[in-house]
């Protein structure tokens, strides 16, 4: 398969089934776009949130990480705004009235959809990614399977869950994005050439989470990416993110990714873990983890043994504090952190690398839930807004359930159990009785939820570390990646007694870029609260607005026009 890159000035051979971002990374092309100032940007989140990998694909701006390659595809790796757009294709329209609409195809969404459908409900599941499985399972595409080698247990479990959804008769629409909603019974979606008005009786939001941003000098250089982006390249596409890699952050995912990178042949120069997890005083947390979820505890030990065999140093209480290089990452500077998360400059190390993977926890993708009025509260311990919901995912909004990490990051196992419980609750609310098999599964899901809540509490105790906000940022460090807004600009606005997020946005343009404030918004909420002496509340976040993620204006105009015709036909 061949791609035409930069106006057909060069061709790029690649394997079928790759994302455009994976194909570019495999060819060593790290730059996806240039900012207005000419600074290069590359793959960062790897899951369609940050928009840093937007390139022109056949004349239309698209996210490279969310687009599958096609033979003869034309890719322009420049600032997408500087090139003429191709006109959008034709958009057909329809309305759909499923009993249940599930938004998100990760563990929670798949489990909820399967149970609701098996109980007798008509279920439609939509996911903006090219295939189901979400960010946890990361199974290779069907086109890559012949070359993917042996799937691990995590990927096999994902494929089994997807197969269960298919057997249950769920209508699965991949590559389909919910871009607006007026209420829980009126949601607009846009897929490949199709606009859909959904009018479900019940709505399950399983939109997942994305990785928290920790700004530092050099974090916008190509080659600096989230741990999740690196894992997606490696697990879903069998593409190494780099040859010499430093992994840094907070939490067990970093150990897993480092072990997987080492097993793939990459040189992992070090793992920096912000928590002092080797402190003997945290030993009780290890005991509780083993008691609640022995298999997960064994997985963690397995990753540690793999890293020891590969002679990868693990630096506890350390973090990367700066990336350096000309046009791309070339060096990583790491330092020990004090109890507030500030780096101890007297204890710095420098590593020669081509890739830095940073993972400092997650934030819920809650824009759709907040749009619909689902109540959220600020969790200081997690540093995020969490949805007010019960064990089954029920919220304050009638007929709306929030499951999995979409309502507050809880991990894949607890998300899976919550999805099973939500699917059954939704089915019952529609008048369906559960078969005995599903009733037994429900009892097991409740037991699993209790165990995994205990495991999560112990895990958080073990990996307790200072919440990193702006401790690593210098005055000229970019805090808003999309609009190139520096810490100095934010500090000047705050020093001028700007006391609200809205005023800060109007004065500096922070949060006005393609990611729509997903990365800088939580950071700004923390900074404003620090200056005002309060605690962030939901009203302090940037308000979500349609389109919930950027879409070409021409495409939205055609979709809106077709939806008007659909609405007129319904009322005629």
């Amino acid at each position: 398969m061949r791609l035409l890159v930069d106006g057909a000035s060069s061709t790029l051979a690649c394997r079928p089934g790759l994302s455009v971002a994976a194909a570019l990374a495999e060819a060593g092309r790290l730059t996806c776009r240039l900012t207005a100032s000419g600074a290069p940007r590359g793959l960062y989140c790897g899951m369609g949130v940050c928009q840093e990998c937007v390139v022109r694909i056949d004349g239309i701006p698209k996210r490279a990480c969310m687009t599958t390659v096609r033979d003869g595809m034309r890719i322009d790796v420049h600032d997408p705004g500087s090139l003429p757009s191709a006109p959008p294709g034709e958009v057909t329209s329809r309305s759909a009235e499923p009993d249940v609409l599930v938004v998100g195809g990760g563990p929670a969404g798949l489990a909820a959809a399967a149970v609701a459908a098996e109980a007798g409900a008509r279920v439609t599941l939509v996911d903006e990614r090219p295939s189901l499985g979400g960010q946890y399972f990361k199974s290779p595409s069907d086109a890559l399977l012949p070359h993917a080698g042996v799937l691990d247990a995590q990927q096999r479990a994902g494929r089994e869950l997807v197969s269960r959804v298919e057997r249950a008769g769920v209508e699965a629409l991949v590559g389909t994005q919910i871009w607006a909603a007026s209420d829980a019974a009126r949601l607009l979606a846009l897929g490949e050439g199709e606009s859909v008005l959904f009018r479900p009786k019940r709505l399950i939001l399983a939109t997942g989470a994305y990785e928290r941003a920790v700004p530092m000098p050099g974090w916008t250089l190509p080659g600096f990416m989230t741990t999740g982006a690196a894992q997606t390249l490696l697990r879903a596409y069998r593409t190494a993110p780099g040859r010499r890699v430093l992994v840094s952050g907070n939490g067990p995912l970093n150990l897993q990714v480092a072990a997987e990178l080492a097993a793939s042949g990459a040189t992992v120069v070090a793992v920096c873990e912000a928590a002092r997890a080797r402190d003997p005083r945290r030993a009780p947390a290890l005991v509780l983890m083993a008691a609640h979820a022995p298999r997960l505890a064994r997985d963690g030990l397995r990753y540690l043994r793999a890293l020891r065999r590969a002679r990868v140093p693990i630096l506890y209480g350390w973090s990367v504090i700066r990336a350096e290089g000309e046009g791309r990452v070339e060096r990583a500077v790491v330092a020990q952190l004090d109890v507030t998360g500030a780096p101890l400059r007297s204890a710095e190390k420098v590593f020669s690398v081509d890739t830095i993977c940073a993972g400092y926890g997650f934030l819920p993708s809650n824009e759709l839930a907040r749009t619909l009025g689902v109540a959220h509260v600020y969790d200081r311990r997690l540093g995020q807004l969490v949805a007010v919901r019960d064990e089954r995912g029920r919220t304050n909004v009638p007929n709306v359930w929030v499951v999995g990490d979409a309502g507050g990051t809880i991990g894949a196992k607890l998300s899976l159990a919550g999805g099973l419980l939500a699917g059954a609750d939704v089915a019952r609310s529609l008048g369906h009785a559960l078969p005995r098999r599903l009733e037994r599964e429900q009892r097991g899901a409740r037991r699993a939820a209790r165990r995994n809540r205990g495991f999560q509490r112990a895990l958080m105790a073990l990996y307790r570390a200072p919440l990193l906000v702006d401790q690593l940022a210098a005055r000229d460090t970019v805090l808003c990646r999309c609009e190139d807004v520096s810490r100095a600009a934010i500090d000047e606005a705050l020093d001028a007694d700007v006391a609200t997020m809205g005023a800060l946005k109007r004065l500096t343009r922070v949060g006005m870029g393609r990611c729509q404030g997903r990365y800088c918004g939580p950071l700004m909420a923390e900074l404003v609260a620090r200056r005002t002496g309060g605690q962030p509340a939901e009203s302090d976040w940037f308000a979500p607005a349609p389109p919930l993620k950027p879409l070409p204006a021409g495409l939205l105009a055609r979709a809106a026009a077709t939806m008007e015709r659909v609405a007129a036909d319904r009322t005629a």
Side-chain angles (χ1 to χ4, degrees), residues 277 279-298 301 451 454-459 461-462:
D279 188 331
R281 290 171 293 183
R282 303 195 185 191
L286 283 171
V287 175
L288 288 174
M289 287 169 58
H292 287 293
R295 180 176 296 180
L296 293 178
R298 286 197 298 270
L301 291 175
R451 288 196 306 271
F455 177 83
Q456 285 293 322
R457 286 193 294 269
L459 187 71
L462 180 66

Side-chain angles (χ1 to χ4, degrees), residues 322-338:
R322 186 167 69 252
E324 298 176 344
E326 295 298 322
R328 58 161 299 158
V329 169
E330 295 174 341
R331 292 172 301 281
V333 181
V334 306
Q336 197 170 14
L337 304 180
D338 66 17

Side-chain angles (χ1 to χ4, degrees), residues 16 22 82 152 195 203 205-206 208 219 236 250 263 301 308 381 424 471 482 488 526 535 559 563:
S82 67
D152 60 28
S195 182
L203 178 63
L205 302 181
W219 76 303
N250 178 220
L301 291 175
R308 278 199 294 269
R381 185 177 47 122
Q471 295 97 318
C482 301
E526 292 278 353
Q535 179 168 294
M563 282 297 98

Side-chain angles (χ1 to χ4, degrees), residues 531-554:
R531 289 298 182 102
T532 58
Q535 179 168 294
E538 183 184 357
S539 58
D540 295 324
W541 257 250
F542 295 135
L548 296 175
K549 285 187 180 176
L551 291 167

Side-chain angles (χ1 to χ4, degrees), residues 305-320:
R305 287 196 297 268
L307 292 173
R308 278 199 294 269
R309 285 196 301 270
R311 298 183 178 179
V312 176
I314 303 177
L315 307 177
Y316 292 100
W318 289 64
S319 172
V320 61

